[in-house]
Amino acid sequence: MRYAWGRAWRACGYLLLAGASGLATLVMMPLGVVVVLLIVVGGVGLLLLPRCLVLLVRWTDLHRRRAARFLGEEVPELPLPAATYLREMWREPSVRRSLRWMPVFTLVSVVLGVVAVFLPGLVLNTVQALMWWALPVALRPEPYGIAIDGWGIALVTVAGQVLSFVVLALWVVPASARAHARLCLRLSAPTEAEMLTERVDRLSRTRAEVVDSHGAELRRIERDLHDGTQARLVAIAMQLGVAREAVSDPAVAALLERAHQGAEEAMTELREVIRGVYPPILADRGLTGALTALAARSAVPVRLDLDDPGELPVAVETAAYYVVTEAVSNASRHSDAETISVVLSRGPGLLRLEVRDDGRGGADENSGSGLPGLRRRVAALDGRVSVHSPVGGPTVIEAELPCAS
């Protein structure tokens, strides 16, 4: 029973606050109309209305979370409108949802708020009915139009009010509060499509952050290997070479010679590892400089058409370099091409690459050409690779890599 009465007062408090919020929202509606009229009159509303819409979305989300707490449910955190201009804000799902929510919430909250007022009103009326004898005749209560001037009428009135109070407190008010909260959640909650879109956006942002962090970590590892481990191996090789020249014992000299050769081989392998982690030439010259150097080293003439890509994420820069490197290497080794062309361009949020050769074509991704590895590398960045290589040529490899614009 204590739980039932606690639930009743909690529901009553919820509806009373909802009624007050409904009245406040009712005041906001004509103010919104005034702001819209200011757009027509002087254009001031163009600055005020977006801010008013953001406040409305905050107000809606406040009551959505309050309704969820009352029902004991959890609701996802919703972002505020990302747009700042009025035309863009009208397309925001959260703004449209709040505009639909506002009139319904106002009407239902005011009506159910009045219902909740009956509970404390009944308590006050009951006290007045029991204290009728202490009040002046002119101030004695007249519930339902019947003046209380004796204990008989007073007790009958109190019994009716107590019964009404019990019915309202234990059934009507809690049910009304739950209905109000569910309606508020239904009107203000995002659709499944909106939640899916938000989840995809959040995952995309998270993946971009992970990729950027991974790229920065690769660059740090490359720098540590290049400046630390490789430098120490060079010093060790030099010391072994000096020691080999200084000793006179042939057996010791032979051991030092083998150790020196091992150090040289370890340095060669380490350089290959460093190039695989993050090509040092990218750090030194950037993407366009690295591609220019690649073209100069190629056994097949390479024509370059490179736009300035600007600042790129490390992971995108590395993937673009490896796409061109692998495509040029395949064309040089397998296609008998006479010329290769590389086109690099950057659009809004997108880096585009095209590598074309005039070889015999017929590239097979299952023949160890390295194309599956390129696809995986680009797909990790939410990019796309297409290969067009008919028999007889030409072979065209195109890649699109998302990047910050």
Side-chain angles (χ1 to χ4, degrees):
M1 183 59 68
R2 179 181 300 178
Y3 169 77
W5 287 110
R7 182 183 62 178
W9 288 116
R10 182 168 172 264
C12 180
Y14 173 84
L15 287 183
L16 288 175
L17 188 54
S21 300
L23 292 174
T25 309
L26 187 62
V27 174
M28 292 170 58
M29 294 172 67
L31 288 178
V33 175
V34 171
V35 172
V36 173
L37 291 177
L38 286 176
I39 296 178
V40 181
V41 175
V44 181
L46 289 174
L47 299 175
L48 296 178
L49 190 55
R51 291 171 172 78
C52 292
L53 292 176
V54 171
L55 289 176
L56 176 60
V57 172
R58 290 181 181 272
W59 183 249
T60 305
D61 190 59
L62 174 66
H63 289 86
R64 181 180 69 95
R65 288 185 277 110
R66 180 170 173 268
R69 285 197 302 270
F70 178 77
L71 294 174
E73 300 179 3
E74 292 186 1
V75 291
E77 189 74 21
L78 296 181
L80 291 174
T84 56
Y85 296 103
L86 182 59
R87 182 177 299 179
E88 297 173 350
M89 290 198 72
W90 285 121
R91 301 191 185 100
E92 288 281 350
S94 58
V95 173
R96 295 186 177 184
R97 204 164 48 240
S98 297
L99 290 173
R100 290 193 299 265
W101 166 88
M102 183 168 58
V104 179
F105 171 81
T106 301
L107 177 62
V108 175
S109 296
V110 171
V111 172
L112 294 183
V114 171
V115 173
V117 169
F118 276 105
L119 278 184
L122 286 172
V123 173
L124 180 60
N125 289 339
T126 302
V127 173
Q128 288 180 336
L130 290 174
M131 298 296 296
W132 66 272
W133 53 270
L135 299 173
V137 176
L139 297 178
R140 287 178 182 176
E142 296 183 2
Y144 316 111
I146 303 174
I148 299 178
D149 54 4
W151 279 108
I153 297 177
L155 293 177
V156 170
T157 301
V158 168
Q161 289 177 342
V162 169
L163 179 61
S164 301
F165 179 85
V166 171
V167 172
L168 281 174
L170 297 184
W171 291 285
V172 176
V173 169
S176 300
R178 288 194 298 271
H180 180 279
R182 291 194 185 98
L183 178 63
C184 189
L185 285 181
R186 188 178 301 115
L187 291 174
S188 60
T191 63
E192 289 293 331
E194 292 174 23
M195 293 180 65
L196 180 60
T197 301
E198 171 61 22
R199 191 176 299 119
V200 170
D201 291 341
R202 185 167 60 251
L203 289 175
S204 298
R205 290 192 300 271
T206 303
R207 180 170 62 178
E209 292 171 359
V210 170
V211 168
D212 289 343
S213 175
H214 177 66
E217 185 66 15
L218 288 181
R219 177 175 284 182
R220 184 193 64 79
I221 293 172
E222 180 272 331
R223 186 170 57 250
D224 290 346
L225 290 176
H226 185 274
D227 298 338
T229 307
Q230 182 174 263
R232 293 185 64 184
L233 280 175
V234 170
I236 291 172
M238 293 177 61
Q239 292 170 357
L240 288 172
V242 171
R244 182 191 60 192
E245 297 294 333
V247 299
S248 57
D249 189 336
V252 176
L255 289 174
L256 290 174
E257 173 65 23
R258 287 197 295 271
H260 183 266
Q261 291 178 354
E264 293 285 352
E265 292 172 358
M267 283 192 295
T268 302
E269 294 175 0
L270 181 60
R271 291 191 187 99
E272 293 300 321
V273 171
I274 292 174
R275 292 192 189 97
V277 171
Y278 181 75
I281 194 170
L282 285 177
D284 296 337
R285 302 189 187 180
L287 181 58
T288 55
L291 295 182
T292 302
L294 174 66
R297 296 194 307 267
S298 174
V300 179
V302 178
R303 292 198 311 271
L304 298 176
D305 182 9
L306 308 178
D307 289 345
D308 182 12
E311 186 176 354
L312 294 172
V314 173
V316 173
E317 191 177 54
T318 306
Y321 178 76
Y322 278 120
V323 167
V324 178
T325 301
E326 187 67 33
V328 170
S329 175
N330 285 343
S332 301
R333 288 183 297 176
H334 305 302
S335 71
D336 296 330
E338 296 182 0
T339 59
I340 304 171
S341 66
V342 177
V343 179
L344 171 70
S345 61
R346 182 169 182 178
L350 202 64
L351 183 71
R352 294 185 177 88
L353 292 165
E354 180 187 285
V355 182
R356 179 188 296 264
D357 68 71
D358 58 359
R360 62 171 180 264
D364 183 8
E365 296 193 28
N366 298 320
S367 62
S369 61
L371 291 176
L374 287 185
R375 289 190 183 278
R376 288 192 295 270
R377 184 185 288 269
V378 173
L381 303 175
D382 202 20
R384 183 183 66 86
V385 174
S386 65
V387 179
H388 182 69
S389 183
V391 177
T395 297
V396 181
I397 298 177
E398 295 178 324
E400 293 182 349
L401 293 164
C403 58
S405 56

